[in-house]
């Protein structure tokens, strides 16, 4: 097909980041005018990077972009907007204290008598375009006061009034209730009828099936197939999406799990967007086993981990470690129960970047008797401890007093892991423990995790890396929409099956899921 | 920043900032003085050396005066170090100096202890009282999230007017022309360390001891460690299980105690009666000192010396030449702006970081290779 | 005693004094409002007022024109704002430290500069001539009304300006495109930049405007209030303005009400200091204590709102 017939054509897009991770490798992506085109793939498959390139937020290392047959080159979103491309970000780019109309005209406010905003015009513009595009909003309401669904419409309108003909929607339904989702779909279909082209990024197969005309599937930075939505089954999509490239082989002995360490009972949580992020989650983790939590991101894993480490309070339900209720406890108490936590966001929670390696590895134990003599630190003991950990976890640093922020990503993660794994934990919560780090560090961290579990620790492993959870876990929990969709403890799982549960195509019976609690 | 090249860069950058600031000062001297070179000589070397009929004399009295002037600013500098290390922009050190001076002074007049312990009690009482005063902005911050900056600024004025009220209505010695208290009892006066009128009191020794103590506190105790970690990354500190709220309160209380101690030592060491009727300004100088010292207590006396030296130089310049002593504020402001600028010479720093990192990596890889084997084995 | 006090307070000239005392604080508080709306803490207001008070006076003295003096002060204030902006936005000096540096310049640097330009020390003394001072105006009709006329008429031009500026700043922030951009940049810079608004540019504009407004306050101080410049004359008004901004919820009208509270307290203090048995110092405390209390109440209400997700609300 020639460029001329396409609304959008991206050819051979490659994006390599400075840390030599190729986020996109020779991706071809094209969209016909007036279609709704789904772009799907696991987290880290490269969808966001591709769309950032399309919206001028990143520049491709290689490749060409054609809009309506014309070659274009964007150096900022402003350029992309000028070429008729609009994007609705997952985190809304709205100013809460401003009204809907003010948000819509921000940066292009209509004027009257020279220097004043013509508010009547702004309201009129908002109202008129809302009507024209069939997106109902309250022009004079403050954004802080309106529901999430309406905020999203405001975002769509913002793009449309700036002349967008191609709309990129980044996981628009992730923050919506099911009614709001139904409304959004109707509106998107209307826009399609008016001739707009829509790129719809999603993980949810039922939505993709319902809404879109064609699908591009991405995996590991590449496009792995383009289909007409009607001509492909959900199972096929799922298989393509989560197919494995590398089979890791991790050696681990079989276990006979001990007694229950972590008992999670009926957890419910409504997140900041008013969404039921956790909807009655019950399971347990026993000593000596690794329980993996699989699932597409945004299905409640984040909230679960935060609650377990006292960073959020659940609406109802409890989590107990060794019989002691965790919820509402300060982190110091949680740690004193023998819980340790490898956080997903290592730069924010895991380390103090401007402090030394030593200061970072002792942050959970510096108050202990061993390291203090009266009011003073026993510096010798501190040095001994940090040197031991640096050696044990092969942290590549010049000295223990080197700034952690100067180390590589893998070594920073080793610092975090060295601290969290070495405090004789009874429960380890590992959240994306190997994301974005080199192979060597990954291998070391996985091996240590298995060693610790075989030595009797209970491990809860949350990871978006399906290979990782499948290889490391002794039993597996799959999250879907804030609920447990499946529990597997026989070690017989494969990616196809996982994909079906992760994407909501299959769901176990309550009885089968109930086994997860070992009650 | 701890490796040698970065340390060197840090020093070079600081020196550049100081030279630039002095250059700014020099420009103003040339603009305003008829004898700019004499003025510059007084500013830069006058505090140490005097010139008489072609001969150069080392002036010990001047040096003692500089040491004396360092007493309150070492304390406020330390106070700011501790509070800024915890990322608390508490500016009430200024008010605490005044409060400490007043409390120490009043006890010095009215308390009867017939031994050297009198002075000790006065200073300690002022110290404790100012620690308690600092609880106000600290608790408001931790419990309610009220900006410690605004509350501490207001606190300065509240302290000022409360002190003036009591000074005027309860403690003023009406026999004197100006508003001041009766003379301190001799037992409360902080004794001078050296002969002469330099006002270099035992307070100087106490200031150096306090420096050592705070340096130990910040780098050798669990509380100092927690304060520094909170300042670097509060989320990390919370996640590690530190008691963040309590530590933030502690940092500010210590800041108040140090300021109060500095104020009382200054008042009892320099004057015969309590006579401050406005905020003395040491709190603000303390901020300059802390910034020059990069929040490290060890460097506080050095920074305080530098500021006191410049101050003395400016004074000499104004007595002997036609340049007002307030030149010091222009130089201080310039130092302040350049010294605190993260991006000052940042291009150079960036190059250095990249170069160092690449070299390190190569060296470490080579190291590992020569030891013969992967470290994950 | 109380009777005396009330007699003194319930007089037209008392209200007149309140308005006069409020004006410079109000200028600075509005300056703080604009900066804060763009997400900039302008703690340098105190210093900017000192410096602009001096330059306003000097310009007026050199040209013998109060109008040029006021314009000079505004210009100086705007420039100082840009200097703060340059150091904080470009060289990444912490904005609070940049403000403190400006305050140092204001405290001692002004004495130096006065000496450099005029050879005088500490105050402008005999340089003051009627041409330099900001004139007062009688408002035609209101002047005739008894009591009210005495309160409201006969103020300096800039006094009226201060209250007019409450409206103008409100107009700027809420009715103009630049104001919309300022509010957007202060609240969600990502949202602003995603639609092509220059975040840095807007911050520069806001801090320059803030400096210019503080310049009006400075000019008012030296060219009307104190009838000349002296080294102690701003006396914390910049800091008070910062508090007035916070207590007034960052809104122009709120800032005006808080400024009036300060003006009232200061006027009371002047009255009370003439009376037996009333400590003018304790009266002086009122505005500062009121600010702290105001902040406490404000913080409690904020905290209550944020309670639901409070635990997660750790600073990034």
């Amino acid at each position: 097909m020639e460029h001329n017939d396409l609304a959008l054509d991206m050819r051979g897009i490659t994006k390599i980041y400075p840390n030599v991770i190729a986020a996109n490798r020779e991706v071809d992506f094209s969209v016909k005018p007036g279609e709704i085109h789904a772009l799907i793939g696991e987290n880290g498959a490269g969808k966001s990077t591709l769309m950032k390139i399309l919206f001028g937020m990143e520049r491709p290392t290689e490749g060409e972009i054609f809009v309506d047959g014309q070659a274009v080159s964007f150096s900022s979103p402003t350029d992309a907007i000028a070429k008729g491309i609009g994007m609705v970000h997952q985190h809304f780019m709205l100013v809460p204290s401003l009204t809907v109309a003010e948000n819509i005209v921000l940066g292009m406010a209509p004027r009257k008598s020279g220097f004043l905003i013509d508010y009547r015009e702004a309201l009129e513009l908002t109202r008129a375009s809302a009507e024209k595009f069939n997106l109902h909003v309250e022009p004079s309401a403050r954004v802080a006061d309106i529901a999430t669904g309406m905020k999203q419409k405001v975002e769509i309108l913002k793009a449309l009034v700036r002349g967008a003909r191609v709309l990129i929607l980044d996981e628009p339904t992730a923050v919506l209730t099911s009614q709001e989702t139904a409304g959004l779909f109707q509106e998107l279909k209307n826009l399609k009828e008016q001739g707009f082209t829509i790129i719809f990024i999603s993980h949810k197969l039922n939505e993709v099936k319902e809404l879109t005309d064609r699908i591009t599937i991405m995996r590991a930075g590449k496009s792995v197939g383009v289909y007409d939505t009607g001509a492909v089954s959900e199972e096929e999509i799922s298989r393509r999406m989560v197919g494995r490239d590398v089979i890791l082989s991790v050696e681990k002995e079989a276990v006979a799990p001990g007694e229950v360490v972590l008992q999670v009972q009926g957890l419910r949580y409504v997140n900041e967007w008013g969404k039921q992020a956790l909807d009655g989650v019950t399971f347990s983790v026993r000593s000596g086993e690794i329980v993996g939590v699989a699932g597409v991101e945004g299905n409640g894993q984040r909230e679960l981990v935060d609650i377990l480490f006292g960073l959020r309070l659940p609406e109802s339900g409890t989590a107990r470690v060794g019989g002691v209720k965790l919820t509402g406890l300060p982190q110091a108490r949680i740690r004193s129960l023998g819980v340790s936590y490898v956080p997903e966001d290592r730069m924010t929670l895991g380390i103090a970047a401007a402090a030394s390696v030593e200061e970072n590895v002792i942050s959970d134990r510096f108050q202990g008797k061993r390291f203090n003599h009266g009011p003073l630190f026993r510096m010798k003991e501190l040095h001994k401890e940090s040197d031991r950990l640096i050696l044990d976890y092969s942290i590549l640093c010049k000295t223990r007093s080197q700034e952690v922020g100067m180390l590589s990503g893998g070594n920073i993660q080793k610092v975090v892991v060295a601290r969290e794994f070495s405090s004789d934990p009874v429960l380890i919560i590992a959240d994306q423990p190997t994301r974005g780090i080199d192979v060597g560090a990954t291998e070391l961290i996985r091996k240590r995790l298995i060693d610790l579990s075989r030595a009797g620790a209970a491990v809860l492993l949350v990871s978006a890396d399906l290979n990782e959870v499948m290889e490391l876990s002794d039993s597996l929990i799959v999250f879907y929409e804030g609920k447990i969709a499946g529990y597997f403890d026989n070690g017989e799982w494969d990616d196809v099956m996982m994909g079906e549960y992760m994407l909501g195509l299959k769901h176990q019976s309550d009885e089968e899921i109930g086994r997860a609690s070992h009650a | 920043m701890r490796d040698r090249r970065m340390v060197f860069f840090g020093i070079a950058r600081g020196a550049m900032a100081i030279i630039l600031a002095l250059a700014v000062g020099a420009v103003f001297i040339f603009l305003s003085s008829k004898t700019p070179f004499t003025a510059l000589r007084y500013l830069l070397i006058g505090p140490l050396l005097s010139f008489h009929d072609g001969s150069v004399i080392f002036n010990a009295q001047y040096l003692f005066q500089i040491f004396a002037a360092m007493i309150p600013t070492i304390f406020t500098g330390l106070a700011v170090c501790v509070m800024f290390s915890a990322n608390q922009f508490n500016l009430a050190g200024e008010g605490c100096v005044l409060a400490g001076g007043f409390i120490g002074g009043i006890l010095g007049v009215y308390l009867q202890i017939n031994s050297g312990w009198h002075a000790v009690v006065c200073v300690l009482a002022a110290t404790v009282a100012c620690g308690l005063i600092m609880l106000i902005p600290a608790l408001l911050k931790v419990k309610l999230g009220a900006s410690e900056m605004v509350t501490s600024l207001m606190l300065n004025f509240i302290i000022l007017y409360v002190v003036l009220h009591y000074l005027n209505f309860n403690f003023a010695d009406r026999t004197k022309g100006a508003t001041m208290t009766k003379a301190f009892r001799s037992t409360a006066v902080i004794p001078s360390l050296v002969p002469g009128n330099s006002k270099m009191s035992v307070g100087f020794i106490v200031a150096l001891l306090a420096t050592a103590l705070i340096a130990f506190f910040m780098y050798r105790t669990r509380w100092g460690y927690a304060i520094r970690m909170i300042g670097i990354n509060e989320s990390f500190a919370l996640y590690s299980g530190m008691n963040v709220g309590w530590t933030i309160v502690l940092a500010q209380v210590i800041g108040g105690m140090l300021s109060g101690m500095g104020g009382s030592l200054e008042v009892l060491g320099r004057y015969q009666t309590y006579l401050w009727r406005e905020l003395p300004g040491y709190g603000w100088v303390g901020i300059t000192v802390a910034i020059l010292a990069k929040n490290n207590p060890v460097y506080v006396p050095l920074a305080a010396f530098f500021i006191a030296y410049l101050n003395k130089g400016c004074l000499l310049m104004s007595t002997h030449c036609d340049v007002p002593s307030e030149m010091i504020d222009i130089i201080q402001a310039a130092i302040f702006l350049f010294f605190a600028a993260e991006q000052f010479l940042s291009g150079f720093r960036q190059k250095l970081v990249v170069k160092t990192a690449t070299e390190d990596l190569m060296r470490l890889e080579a190291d590992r290779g020569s030891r013969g084997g992967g470290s994950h084995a | 005693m109380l009777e005396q006090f009330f007699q003194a307070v319930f007089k037209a000239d008392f209200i007149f004094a309140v308005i006069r005392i409020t004006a410079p604080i109000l200028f600075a508080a509005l300056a703080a409002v604009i900066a804060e709306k763009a997400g900039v803490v302008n703690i340098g207001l105190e210093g900017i007022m000192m410096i602009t008070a001096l330059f306003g006076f000097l310009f007026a003295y050199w040209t013998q024109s109060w109008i040029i003096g006021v314009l000079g002060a505004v210009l100086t204030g705007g420039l100082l704002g840009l200097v703060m902006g340059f150091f904080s936005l470009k060289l990444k000096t912490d904005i609070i430290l940049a403000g403190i540096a400006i305050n140092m310049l204001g405290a001692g640097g002004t004495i130096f500069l006065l000496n450099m330009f005029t050879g005088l020390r500490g105050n402008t003394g005999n340089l003051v001539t009627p041409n330099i001072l900001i004139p007062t105006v009688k408002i035609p009709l209101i002047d005739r009304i008894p009591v009210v006329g005495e309160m409201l008429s006969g103020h300096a031009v800039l006094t009226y300006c201060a209250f007019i500026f409450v409206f103008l700043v409100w107009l700027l922030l809420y009715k103009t495109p630049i104001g919309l951009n300022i509010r957007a940049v202060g609240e969600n810079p990502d949202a602003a930049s995603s639609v092509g608004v220059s975040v840095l540019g807007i911050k520069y504009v806001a801090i320059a405007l803030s400096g210019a407004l503080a310049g009006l306050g400075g000019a008012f101080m030296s060219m009307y209030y104190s009838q000349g410049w002296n080294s102690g004359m701003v006396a914390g008004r910049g800091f008070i303005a910062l508090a007035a901004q916070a207590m007034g919820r960052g809104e122009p009208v709120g800032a005006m009400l808080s400024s009036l509270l300060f003006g009232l307290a200061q006027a009371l203090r002047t009255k009370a200091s003439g009376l037996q048995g009333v400590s003018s110092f304790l009266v002086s405390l009122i505005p500062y204590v009121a600010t702290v209390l105001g902040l406490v109440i404000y913080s409690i209400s904020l905290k209550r709102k944020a309670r639901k997700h409070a635990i997660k609300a750790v600073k990034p």
Side-chain angles (χ1 to χ4, degrees), chain A residues 268-297:
Chain A
R268 289 171 175 279
Y269 181 77
V270 176
N271 70 12
E272 47 272 53
W273 301 296
K275 206 179 173 204
Q276 191 77 46
L278 289 177
D279 194 1
V281 168
T282 299
F283 68 92
S284 67
V285 183
R286 293 166 295 179
S287 107
E289 71 173 341
I290 299 179
V291 175
V293 174
V296 172
E297 252 173 71

Side-chain angles (χ1 to χ4, degrees), chain C residues 50-207:
Chain C
M50 280 297 281
I51 299 168
T52 54
L54 176 67
F55 276 97
F57 185 90
L58 287 176
F59 281 120
Y61 171 71
W62 289 327
T63 60
Q64 289 296 311
S65 154
W66 68 271
I67 293 184
I68 294 183
V70 171
L71 290 179
V74 169
L75 201 71
T76 313
L79 280 176
L80 286 169
L82 290 178
V83 169
M84 272 181 79
F86 174 76
F87 276 97
S88 76
L89 301 173
K90 176 89 185 160
L91 292 183
K92 306 279 178 216
T93 302
D94 190 294
I95 185 73
I96 293 176
L97 300 181
I100 292 173
I102 295 286
N103 290 342
M104 283 177 181
L105 276 182
T110 46
I111 300 178
F112 180 87
L113 290 171
L114 174 69
N115 186 273
M116 188 171 118
F117 286 121
T118 67
L120 294 171
R121 278 205 61 84
N123 67 71
T124 49
N126 58 359
L127 300 185
V128 185
T129 64
N131 291 341
I132 295 180
L133 297 178
I134 296 165
T136 57
V137 285
K138 293 211 184 295
I139 305 176
L141 288 168
I142 292 175
D143 191 39
R144 302 262 192 81
I145 310 171
V147 190
V148 176
E150 279 178 67
M151 291 179 193
L152 301 183
S153 183
H155 284 288
V157 181
L158 272 196
T159 312
Y160 297 115
C161 281
F163 289 88
I164 293 168
F165 264 100
V166 176
F167 172 71
L168 290 181
V169 167
W170 174 83
L171 198 72
L172 173 83
L173 287 174
Y174 290 98
K175 297 293 167 194
T176 67
I178 185 94
L180 187 63
N181 289 349
I182 288 176
R183 287 184 293 145
V185 163
E187 200 174 327
N188 187 349
D190 290 338
S193 66
S194 79
V195 291
V197 174
S198 158
V199 174
L200 276 187
I202 291 293
K203 286 197 171 189
Y204 270 116
V205 168
I207 197 168

Side-chain angles (χ1 to χ4, degrees), chain A residues 42-53:
Chain A
E42 277 192 290
N43 288 97
K47 308 179 302 273
S48 306
T49 307
L50 191 68
M51 290 301 107
K52 278 182 184 164
I53 290 170

